[in-house]
């Protein structure tokens, strides 16, 4: 019987060998992919086992780490003034992941960034508990709260962005309605999460960065730049030989202006002041689709690669479209779409004499012991237009605020230029239009560029214009930024 | 003529034709066992202290008592072996003690995981069961004078096995048992009769095959190079096969079913030395498994879980137990997180019993698991070595059956937890929480030690114990 016994023992050894090969495979080869599996809670347990770094606005953290007596996690993320800063911080949830800065800056906030390697190693040796680093934002809390309060006190939905035109630093980033990220940070917030996602007003949508709107008349700023740069218009005060109504090229469709506006054969300066659709459609047609698209691209349209470092949704100006479509596109209708940040970039580039600075939200990254790891240096994103053209558009924008549709944005002691917009949407333009206001202000050595969009307002159609709804909000933001 | 007393084997062919041996002449390796037992007690003791330091920052209260208790258990077992099975294999007891001790540490560690839902302290119970297991071990040592006595109870053993296997099928199912009906519940107390059958059934098989092996081996026809058994000789294997299928269908217990059929085929093969029985066994196992797998939803879901362990349940339910077990193994990596520092409580239900290997893999890593598998391999290979050395066919068959059952059980449960094979409800011998399992395995080791005592005892037993005895050598 010994021969079969020997074979049985070899067989049993083979069984053990199979187990050994299997555990080698699982623990050696598969280990890292198993660790990364989204259903594996170990990563989160580790991430919430020590205090996360803070996101800092105006020298004060807007985030905090709350020690909870939870079974699974030691800490939970909390937010001060959560709804105000939610479009900046995003959320960090024990169940639903994270987004915006909480997500993009996770390496620093979690303290796992490779640049913190030496610090972490030293801490490990000296037995210091692990702690995440801080992210210092460019947000000016005065601008941010001014914009948020302006929206909420008026009971409006929409978004607003304020930039420093000279650096690209984002001073305000507001989206309303908002939500409190604290409400979904814990492990037992399913009800809050479900109701936030089911809410038709989309409180978790970051309208400033992730929602595009038809820019309407505010896009006429880009059209003006294209016309001046390409020699279609050489003098902003010369007559443009434009009819009213204007028949779209190659069609019999007549384009009209708002009742009462004098748009027949006016100059571009006057046309911008009262926002003549007919004049700018004609100018856009004369510039042509290729050059219009090229101009829009220089201001940042049609680029999906912009990160601040949070990713920004692409704004669109159609390329390779026919003449009537291009004429409509150049007054911000048809398929032209822009994020509020994009329109703030347009204003900023004009205010900064044609140089478009790359917008950025993070000023500094710091380790837990306040060592600066990285400071963002302002960089030029593109030369949107020439200084001369930019200055001519500034003149026109100042004219809008002083004599035209933008008068509610006037700030005493400051140079303010702006452009209103009322973009139509919905089937046959049946829905309430979006009200836009895009502007810049300069006072002393301080500058600010702002874009505000108010969406789906309940006000009367013909009263809605950027001037009535959006300009007052923009004015409050600019005042806050200028320190008035 | 008197030769000097010789230690070791009887010198042969020394020219004189005679030799003398002392009664205590053959090395019995009891001192080796004692030294190894010291390690088998100390290693879990250090693991216990380490776990406490990692989890609470201090050496756990009762470390001394735990050490003394385990030391006492080991010492009593050792003394019993020294007195009643002096020539027994020196490795099996220390390995069993080490596995049992480490198992206690891991169960205690999981008791401390406050995240485990409905976490009743289990380490104390397990310690009590370990004591009972050691008592049973000593009982077998004292009462079982010779393993061949078991041969008398062949058919009684068969009957007992049948009853033990059948009982759970007639017990009301409990939701908490998660599909498998393998427990007998008496109040708050539950036992797993399938565990005891692991000993009783090999006794029956060994006795039965002893009687029938000639008929099964010789009366056969040759076909395509294989010896085909006669139709009427197929009776027993078909009976065991049907029994296995009945367990599978009525108790939905894939593991037990696989274990018993596997043990039977192994013992049949050893008894008859006919490879054809293996082929028959595999064929029937495959056929039966296929038939049940296509009809039983419980078995089907086990297979699905095995093929797709990382598929998450809908509405955020996360992955199943095998997925969590794989996560635990992955988190352990090569060197492990260290005792008390893993998160294997995420496995949830049965983390201390069937899935304890997940905790070991996470906290001791690949290195720990490899060492553990080597210990198991060493243990059952010593059992098979005993089978080789045994001189009586019953002893050989019984040793093969017990060791084979042990090896198969390790493979079935470890394979299930690591995702090597579909998961079946089984306990990892000596390590997993479970009273039935612990005492059965101690009894199993005791019987193997008894067989090995007889097998390793110097062949010509001296008549008198005090004087040198003259033995006639070959001329």
């Amino acid at each position: 019987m010994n021969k079969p016994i020997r074979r049985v023992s070899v067989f049993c050894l083979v069984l053990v060998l199979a187990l050994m090969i299997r555990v080698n495979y699982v623990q050696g080869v598969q280990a890292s992919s198993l660790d990364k599996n989204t259903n594996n809670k170990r990563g989160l347990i580790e991430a919430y086992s020590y205090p996360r770094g803070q996101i800092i606005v105006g020298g004060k953290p807007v985030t905090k780490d709350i020690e909870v007596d939870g079974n699974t996690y030691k800490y939970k993320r909390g937010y001060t003034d959560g709804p105000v800063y939610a479009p900046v911080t995003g959320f960090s949830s024990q169940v639903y992941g994270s987004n915006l800065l909480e997500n993009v800056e996770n390496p620093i906030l979690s303290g796992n960034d490779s640049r913190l390697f030496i610090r972490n190693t030293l801490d490990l040796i000296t037995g210091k508990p692990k702690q995440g680093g801080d992210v210092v934002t460019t947000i000016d809390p005065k601008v941010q709260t001014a914009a948020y309060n302006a929206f909420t006190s008026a009971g409006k939905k929409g978004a607003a962005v304020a930039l420093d035109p000279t650096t690209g630093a984002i001073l305000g980033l507001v989206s309303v309605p908002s939500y409190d990220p604290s409400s979904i940070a814990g492990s037992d917030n399913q009800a809050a999460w479900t109701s936030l996602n089911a809410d038709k007003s989309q409180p978790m949508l970051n309208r400033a960065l992730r929602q595009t709107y038809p820019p309407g008349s505010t896009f006429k700023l880009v059209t003006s730049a294209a016309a001046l740069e390409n020699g279609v218009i050489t003098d902003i005060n010369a007559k443009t030989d434009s009819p009213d109504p204007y028949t779209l090229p190659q069609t019999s469709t007549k384009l009209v202006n708002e009742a009462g506006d004098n748009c027949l054969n006016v100059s571009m300066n006057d046309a911008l002041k009262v926002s003549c659709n007919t004049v700018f459609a004609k100018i856009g047609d004369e510039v042509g689709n290729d050059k219009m698209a090229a101009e829009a691209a220089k201001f940042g349209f049609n680029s999906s690669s912009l990160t601040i470092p949070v990713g920004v949704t692409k704004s669109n100006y159609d390329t390779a479209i026919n003449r009537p479509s291009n004429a409509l596109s150049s007054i911000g209708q048809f398929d032209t779409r822009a994020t509020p940040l994009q329109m703030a970039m347009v204003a900023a580039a004009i205010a900064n004499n044609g140089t478009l600075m790359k917008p950025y939200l993070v000023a500094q990254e710091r380790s837990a012991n306040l060592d600066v790891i990285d400071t963002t240096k302002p960089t030029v994103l593109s030369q949107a237009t020439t200084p001369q053209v930019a200055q001519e558009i500034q003149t026109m924008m100042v004219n809008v605020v002083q004599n035209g549709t933008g008068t509610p944005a006037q700030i005493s002691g400051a140079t303010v230029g702006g452009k209103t917009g009322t973009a139509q949407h919905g089937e046959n333009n049946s829905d309430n239009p979006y009200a836009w206001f895009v502007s810049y202000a300069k006072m002393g050595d301080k500058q600010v560029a702002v874009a505000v969009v108010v969406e789906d307002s309940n006000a009367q159609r013909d009263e809605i214009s950027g001037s009535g709804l959006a300009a007052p909000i923009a004015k409050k933001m600019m005042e806050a930024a200028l320190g008035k | 003529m008197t030769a000097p007393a010789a230690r070791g084997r009887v010198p042969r062919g020394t020219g004189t034709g005679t030799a003398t041996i002392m009664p205590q002449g053959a090395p019995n390796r009891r001192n080796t066992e004692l030294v190894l037992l010291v390690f088998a007690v100390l290693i879990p003791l250090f693991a216990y202290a380490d776990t406490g330091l990692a989890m609470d920052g201090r050496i756990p209260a009762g470390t001394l008592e735990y050490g003394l208790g385990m030391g006492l258990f080991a010492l009593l077992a050792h003394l019993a072996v020294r007195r009643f099975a002096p020539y027994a294999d020196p490795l099996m007891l220390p390995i069993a003690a080490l596995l049992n001790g480490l198992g206690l540490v891991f169960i205690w560690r999981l008791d401390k995981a406050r995240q485990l839902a409905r976490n009743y302290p289990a380490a104390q119970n397990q310690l009590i069961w370990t004591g009972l297991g050691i008592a049973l071990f000593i009982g077998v040592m004292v009462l079982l004078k010779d393993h061949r006595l078991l041969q008398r109870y062949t058919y009684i053993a068969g009957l007992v096995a049948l009853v033990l296997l059948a009982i759970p099928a007639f017990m009301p199912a409990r939701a908490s048992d998660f599909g498998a009906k393998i427990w007998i519940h008496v109040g708050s107390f539950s036992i797993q009769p399938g565990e005891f059958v692991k000993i009783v059934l090999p006794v029956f098989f060994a006795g039965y095959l002893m009687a029938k092996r000639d008929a099964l081996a010789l009366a056969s026809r040759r076909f395509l190079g294989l010896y085909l058994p006669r139709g009427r000789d197929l009776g027993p294997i078909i009976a065991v096969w049907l029994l296995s299928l009945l367990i599978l269908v009525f108790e939905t217990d894939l593991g037990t079913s696989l274990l018993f059929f596997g043990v039977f085929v192994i013992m049949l093969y050893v008894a008859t030395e006919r490879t054809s029985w293996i082929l028959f066994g595999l064929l029937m196992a495959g056929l039966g498994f296929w038939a049940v797998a296509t009809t039983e939803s419980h078995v089907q879901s086990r297979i699905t879980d095995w093929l797709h362990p990382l598929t998450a349940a809908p509405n955020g339910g996360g992955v199943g137990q095998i997925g969590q077990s794989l996560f635990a193994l992955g988190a352990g990596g090569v060197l492990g997180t260290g005792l008390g520092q893993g998160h294997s409580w995420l496995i949830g239900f049965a983390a201390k019993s069937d899935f304890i290997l997940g905790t070991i893999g996470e906290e001791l890593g690949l290195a720990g698991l490899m060492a553990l598998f080597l210990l198991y391999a060493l243990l059952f290979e010593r059992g098979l070595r005993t089978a080789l050395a045994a001189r009586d066919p019953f002893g050989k068959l019984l040793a093969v059956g017990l060791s084979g059952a042990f090896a198969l059980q390790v493979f079935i449960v470890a394979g299930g937890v690591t995702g090597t094979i579909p998961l079946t409800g089984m306990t990892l011998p000596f390590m997993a929480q479970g009273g039935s399992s612990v005492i059965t395995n101690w009894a199993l080791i005791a019987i193997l030690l008894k067989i090995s005592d007889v097998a390793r005892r110097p062949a010509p037993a001296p008549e008198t114990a005090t004087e040198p005895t003259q033995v006639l050598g070959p001329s």
Side-chain angles (χ1 to χ4, degrees), chain B residues 54-68:
Chain B
M55 296 185 81
D56 305 324
R58 58 189 161 79
I59 292 188
T63 303
L64 190 67
E65 290 87 337
Y66 171 77
L68 287 175

Side-chain angles (χ1 to χ4, degrees), chain B residues 116-309:
Chain B
L116 267 179
R118 294 185 296 136
N119 192 0
Y120 307 114
Q124 280 196 346
N125 277 345
Q126 186 76 356
L127 192 60
I128 293 169
W129 281 113
T130 302
L132 290 176
I134 298 284
L136 187 61
F137 176 90
I138 294 169
V140 172
M141 282 289 145
V142 175
L143 298 176
L144 187 65
K145 300 277 182 237
D146 191 302
H147 65 269
R148 278 162 291 200
L149 293 174
L150 290 171
Q151 205 175 341
R152 291 183 197 163
Y153 306 108
T154 299
Y155 289 95
I156 291 176
L159 196 66
V160 168
L162 208 59
V163 170
L164 284 174
L165 280 176
I167 290 173
F170 297 102
M171 304 296 280
R174 285 200 180 188
S176 60
D177 295 349
F178 285 78
K181 289 169 79 174
I182 51 177
W183 286 274
I184 302 173
H185 293 281
V186 185
S188 63
F189 185 77
S190 65
I191 54 173
Q192 237 176 306
E195 287 286 344
F196 303 118
V197 181
K198 205 168 71 188
I199 293 180
V200 182
L201 214 54
V203 170
F204 165 66
F205 287 157
Y208 174 80
L209 291 170
M210 262 283 293
K212 300 281 182 190
R213 67 192 192 100
D214 290 340
L216 290 171
L218 299 176
S220 57
R221 286 163 299 175
R222 214 179 142 82
F223 177 71
L224 288 176
L226 288 173
Y227 290 96
L228 293 186
R230 295 179 302 181
R232 63 170 182 264
D233 293 330
L234 281 172
I237 191 171
I238 287 175
V240 175
W241 178 66
L242 283 176
L243 185 69
S244 301
L245 288 188
L246 287 176
I247 297 169
L248 194 51
V249 172
F250 288 104
E251 296 170 22
T252 55
D253 185 2
L254 185 60
T256 311
S257 170
L258 199 64
L259 178 61
F260 297 143
F261 192 67
V263 167
F264 180 70
V265 170
I266 285 175
M267 292 177 74
L268 193 59
Y269 168 61
V270 171
T272 60
E273 306 195 24
R274 284 275 183 268
T275 321
S276 54
W277 285 114
I278 301 245
L279 294 176
F280 264 100
L282 287 176
L283 204 67
M284 292 171 83
L287 201 70
F289 186 74
W290 175 79
V292 175
T294 47
T295 53
E296 280 283 323
S297 62
H298 175 256
V299 177
Q300 282 166 358
S301 71
R302 289 286 168 96
I303 294 172
T304 313
D305 290 348
W306 169 57
L307 292 175
H308 311 285

Side-chain angles (χ1 to χ4, degrees), chain B residues 91-134:
Chain B
L91 277 180
M92 285 197 264
L93 177 61
I95 293 175
L98 176 60
L99 292 172
N100 198 157
L102 283 177
L104 276 166
V105 171
F106 278 105
I107 293 166
W108 178 74
R109 178 257 173 277
L110 285 169
D111 281 351
K112 291 172 71 67
R114 63 196 177 113
Q115 297 95 337
L116 267 179
R118 294 185 296 136
N119 192 0
Y120 307 114
Q124 280 196 346
N125 277 345
Q126 186 76 356
L127 192 60
I128 293 169
W129 281 113
T130 302
L132 290 176
I134 298 284

Side-chain angles (χ1 to χ4, degrees), chain A residues 382-400:
Chain A
S382 73
Q383 189 65 39
T385 185
T386 63
Q388 294 84 345
V389 169
Q391 277 153 16
E392 282 183 301
I393 300 173
Q394 286 174 25
T395 310
M396 300 202 301
M397 287 174 77
V398 171
N399 189 29
V400 169

Side-chain angles (χ1 to χ4, degrees), chain A residues 301-346:
Chain A
F301 281 81
N302 293 346
S303 161
S304 49
S305 59
L306 180 64
T307 56
I308 61 166
V310 175
V312 180
T313 299
K314 179 177 110 167
S315 299
N316 181 60
Y317 188 88
D318 277 347
T319 54
I321 47 173
N322 61 24
R323 286 179 60 195
S325 304
N326 180 57
L328 282 175
S329 292
S330 43
I331 57 167
Q333 300 285 351
F334 198 62
D335 282 341
T336 307
R337 296 187 75 87
T339 58
L341 175 69
Q342 173 60 63
M343 291 320 292
M345 285 159 68
V346 169

Side-chain angles (χ1 to χ4, degrees), chain A residues 51-211:
Chain A
R52 200 169 158 77
Q54 306 306 337
I55 296 175
I56 291 169
V57 171
K60 291 200 191 97
V62 292
T63 53
K64 57 193 169 195
D65 295 293
I66 305 161
E67 204 162 340
V68 286
D69 191 27
N71 275 335
T72 313
Y73 307 112
K74 194 170 172 204
Y75 289 95
K76 179 175 113 163
R77 198 64 156 164
Y79 300 85
T80 26
D81 292 333
V84 178
Y85 294 105
V88 177
T89 59
F91 64 83
S92 176
S93 164
Q94 290 171 349
V95 179
Y96 307 108
S98 61
N99 72 354
L100 304 181
L101 280 188
E102 288 277 27
N103 178 38
V104 178
E105 289 293 327
N106 188 52
I108 290 290
L109 293 169
S110 67
N112 290 330
D113 195 284
S114 56
R115 291 168 292 174
L116 294 169
F117 171 74
I118 293 177
R119 162 68 35 201
N120 286 343
T121 312
L122 285 176
D123 285 352
L124 196 69
I125 294 166
T126 55
K128 253 176 77 177
K130 190 171 176 182
Q131 214 183 336
D134 294 341
V135 171
V136 182
T137 67
T138 56
I139 296 290
D140 180 340
K142 291 198 294 291
V143 176
Q144 184 80 5
T145 44
Y148 184 80
N149 292 340
F151 268 105
T152 49
S153 63
K156 303 295 183 205
K157 288 199 281 181
V161 175
L163 293 175
D164 182 339
T166 56
T167 60
I170 297 175
L171 303 174
L173 193 69
V174 169
S175 175
V176 182
S178 190
Y179 70 104
D180 187 353
S182 312
S183 67
I184 53 168
S187 54
D188 51 354
N189 298 132
Q190 203 190 345
W193 174 259
T194 313
S195 81
L196 279 175
N197 278 293
D199 193 332
K200 284 206 169 55
S201 65
Q202 293 180 284
M204 286 170 70
L205 173 67
N206 190 332
R207 290 167 167 77
L209 304 177
R210 303 278 168 86
Q211 175 74 311

